[in-house]
């Protein structure tokens, strides 16, 4: 299995077409050999409620890398990329995954440890209970600040979502496994948020997954995701 995460950023003249692409995908998701799970998602500005009409993300779960690359050469994908100013794709190898996304876990957990020297991607996805929405969004600025405090360890941090307000997803890429371990297990603020989500039952469905970034193509907010290049949080 290989997982791809693609960020597409559009020029202003392409914003309407990009939004229309979302609608077309919802009515007719991609059909491609080897594509086992897919999501097209919008992006939020600075992890907030305001949508970024210039940016969209595509997540694909594939039987193998060849299937993914063939799809990215297809005419339908090329139409999706029209009027973009930037396209970047991460190729991800699943390491750990637990929870559910639309009633299933699309990622295979592995007994392998994160390979030394490879960046680590972390994906969190949740459906927020309607009653918990005010409490959930009230704590987003604090979570954003915690990530900014770790900007030197981050290569990318992005908030995306399927449905406004209620179905949210974050993708972050860290320099290596040690940095994410420090953030997840030693950062008191992060542990406090995890505890609060359990106590207040924010989510009706949630998923957490960790991946090794085995390849990266294109650019993300003006820079490549390199093994030694840290991008600032957009």
């Amino acid at each position: 299995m290989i997982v791809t995460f693609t960020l597409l950023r559009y020029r202003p003249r392409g914003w309407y077409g990009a939004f229309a692409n979302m609608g077309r995908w919802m009515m007719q998701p991609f059909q491609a050999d080897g594509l086992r799970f897919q999501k097209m998602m919008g992006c939020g500005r600075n992890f907030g409620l305001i949508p970024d009409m210039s940016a969209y993300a595509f997540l694909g779960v594939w039987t193998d890398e060849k299937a993914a690359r063939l799809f990215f050469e297809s005419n339908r994908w090329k139409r999706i990329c029209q009027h973009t100013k930037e396209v970047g794709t991460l190729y991800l190898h699943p390491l750990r995954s637990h929870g559910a996304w639309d009633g299933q876990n699309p990622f295979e957990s592995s007994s392998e440890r994160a390979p030394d020297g490879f960046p680590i991607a972390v994906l969190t996805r949740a459906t927020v209970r309607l009653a918990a929405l005010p409490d959930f969004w009230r704590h987003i600025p604090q979570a954003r600040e915690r990530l900014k405090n770790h900007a030197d360890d981050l290569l990318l941090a992005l908030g995306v979502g399927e449905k406004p307000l209620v179905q949210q997803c974050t993708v972050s890429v860290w320099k290596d496994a040690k940095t994410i371990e420090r953030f997840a297990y030693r950062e008191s603020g992060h542990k406090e948020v995890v505890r609060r989500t359990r106590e207040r039952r924010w989510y009706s469905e949630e998923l957490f997954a960790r991946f090794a970034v085995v390849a990266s193509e294109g650019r993300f907010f003006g820079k490549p995701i390199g093994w030694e290049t840290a991008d600032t949080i957009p």
Side-chain angles (χ1 to χ4, degrees):
M1 173 191 286
I2 196 78
V3 178
T4 59
F5 178 81
T6 302
L7 178 64
L8 304 105
R9 299 181 66 223
Y10 290 84
R11 298 182 178 90
R13 64 173 178 161
W15 289 7
Y16 176 81
F19 184 73
N21 284 338
M22 279 285 294
R24 283 190 285 267
W25 176 86
M26 292 177 68
M27 292 185 290
Q28 185 181 3
F30 298 130
Q31 298 292 321
D33 291 339
L35 181 56
R36 298 167 51 174
F37 183 86
Q38 59 180 300
K39 288 291 178 182
M40 182 73 80
M41 298 173 284
C43 298
R45 292 184 181 275
N46 203 21
F47 284 86
L49 291 169
I50 301 174
D52 183 350
M53 299 302 294
S54 71
Y56 294 83
F58 173 67
L59 176 82
V61 180
W62 310 85
T63 53
D64 53 41
E65 184 177 335
K66 180 180 179 181
R69 292 189 179 277
L70 284 174
F71 171 74
F72 290 139
E73 295 173 0
S74 69
N75 289 332
R76 187 174 181 190
W77 181 253
K78 289 177 181 178
R79 288 194 295 270
I80 292 290
C81 294
Q82 286 180 344
H83 304 304
T84 54
K85 61 181 179 181
E86 184 180 79
V87 179
T89 297
L90 301 175
Y91 289 82
L92 309 172
H93 175 69
L95 296 172
R96 290 201 324 243
S97 178
H98 61 83
W101 193 334
D102 290 348
Q104 63 174 303
N105 190 331
F107 312 117
E108 295 175 353
S109 294
S110 170
S111 59
E112 301 176 31
R113 295 182 58 189
D116 293 337
F118 281 75
I120 300 298
V122 176
L123 181 149
T124 64
R125 185 269 179 186
T127 298
V128 186
R129 296 179 185 275
L130 293 179
L133 283 174
D135 196 27
F136 171 82
W137 282 104
R138 186 165 57 247
H139 287 88
I140 291 299
Q142 298 173 26
R144 181 169 59 235
E145 286 304 311
R146 279 191 292 274
L147 283 176
K148 286 186 176 181
N149 291 337
H150 289 266
D152 290 342
D153 297 326
L154 278 166
L155 302 175
L156 178 71
L158 187 66
V160 298
E162 302 161 74
K163 295 181 181 178
L165 297 178
V166 296
Q167 289 186 332
Q168 301 300 308
C169 179
T170 66
V171 175
S172 56
V173 182
W174 301 74
K175 288 183 177 180
D176 52 41
K178 292 180 180 179
T179 56
I180 181 59
E181 294 292 336
R182 285 197 298 268
F183 176 76
Y185 299 112
R186 302 180 190 176
E187 171 71 44
S188 60
H190 178 75
K191 290 188 290 185
E192 174 65 19
V193 169
V194 173
R195 182 188 62 80
R196 188 178 295 118
T197 62
R198 300 293 183 267
E199 290 181 351
R200 303 189 183 184
R201 299 180 66 247
W202 279 350
Y203 308 139
S204 61
E205 184 183 63
E206 61 180 314
L207 179 141
F208 172 89
R210 189 176 294 191
F211 310 85
V213 182
V214 295
S216 172
E217 297 178 347
R219 302 176 74 83
F220 300 80
F221 296 99
K223 296 180 181 180
I225 295 293
W227 271 237
E228 298 178 355
T229 303
D231 295 343
T232 57
I233 299 174

